[in-house]
Amino acid sequence: MTPLETPMQRPQSVSMASVFERYGLVIFLVALMVVAAVASPTFLRPANLVNVLTIAAPLGMVVVGQTFVILVRGLDLSVASLMATVAVLATAFKATTNDAIPMIFIAAIALSAAVGLVNGWLVAKRNVSPFLATLAMMIILQGARFAYTGGAPISTLPPGMGFLASGRIFGIPVNLITLAFLAIAFGIVLHRSRLGREIFMVGSNPKAAFLNGVAPDRVVILCYVICSVCAGIGGLFLLGYVGTVSNWVGQGYELDSIVAAVMGGVALSGGRGNVFAALLGVAVLVVINNLVLLLGFPIEMQLIIKGIIIIGAAAFYRARLA
């Protein structure tokens, strides 16, 4: 403390740092939206904002699940491949009426849960690194898709899938409403249930969690199942938005979901973070992508900007650990 510094000044500076750490991403998002509005007046048009929200919803669903996996010191690289596989599964019903939609969702969730179960079993029971386990699953799902489709796109879908993905209820995108319910439900699980407490305990210190009567393997497996189910649901909503199934539906979502979660304060070391802050990371990514498109930048520029964001997110994460 310097001679001119009163005892009341130090808590004030600490408080400001704490506020910035807690609300820094919100401040950055608001500033980014102001920049976007100035750079392109089209950004604030209602049609564009609704489009941004519609695009953000499927990624948000994946991020909700990815958050659970990262909280227990893992990651899931198979989410994008699972989204595409679920999309192909939906077309396998060859349905042209909306009566098949419930069965499509049941089949998609069942497949997703099975994938998550295998991923979690490999990581928790066989001690395979999350990177290798989920990378292998990504490749397996990709091979299964190509074997079924022969690489050709498919477009046989019930018409109601399009409404779920891009329809509106009182002007609000249906998929955004679904994301809100998903985030609230899993947010309650994470922060208001025994399972949530166990997830944070396992992520912070698996050995200490075990000594306190928690089964770390069970918690890890369940987190991977939640992640895969969220990715499967996101794949169905993305499928309805795109309208045509290709083998690359959801491409890039595996990295985008990890980056969004980390930007939202979910610690890669586990045990710290929440669903709603992770969704702020989704908003940042989507706004940046939308701004790049509005300004007419090529896809190469989008990739460069995304890479810069990843570096910045990683640097911020390391700074918070220091």
Side-chain angles (χ1 to χ4, degrees), residues 51 55 287-299 302:
N51 184 55
I55 294 173
V287 169
I288 289 176
N289 286 339
N290 183 251
L291 178 58
V292 169
L293 289 174
L294 291 177
L295 294 178
F297 291 160
I299 184 64
Q302 295 184 45

Side-chain angles (χ1 to χ4, degrees), residues 194-195 197-199 201-202 206-219:
R194 178 178 177 179
L195 174 61
R197 293 190 294 272
E198 291 179 349
I199 288 172
M201 290 175 65
V202 171
K207 292 183 178 179
F210 176 77
L211 293 175
N212 280 278
V214 177
D217 291 353
R218 176 183 61 84
V219 172

Side-chain angles (χ1 to χ4, degrees), residues 24-82:
L25 190 59
V26 176
I27 296 171
F28 177 74
L29 177 60
V30 172
L32 180 63
M33 294 180 69
V34 171
V35 171
V38 172
S40 176
T42 305
F43 176 78
L44 289 179
R45 291 180 181 174
N48 182 67
L49 292 177
V50 170
N51 184 55
V52 169
L53 293 174
T54 302
I55 294 173
L59 176 58
M61 295 174 190
V62 180
V63 169
V64 169
Q66 192 76 255
T67 297
F68 276 78
V69 169
I70 297 177
L71 282 173
V72 291
R73 304 185 177 191
L75 54 84
D76 192 342
L77 296 178
S78 68
V79 289
S81 191
L82 177 59

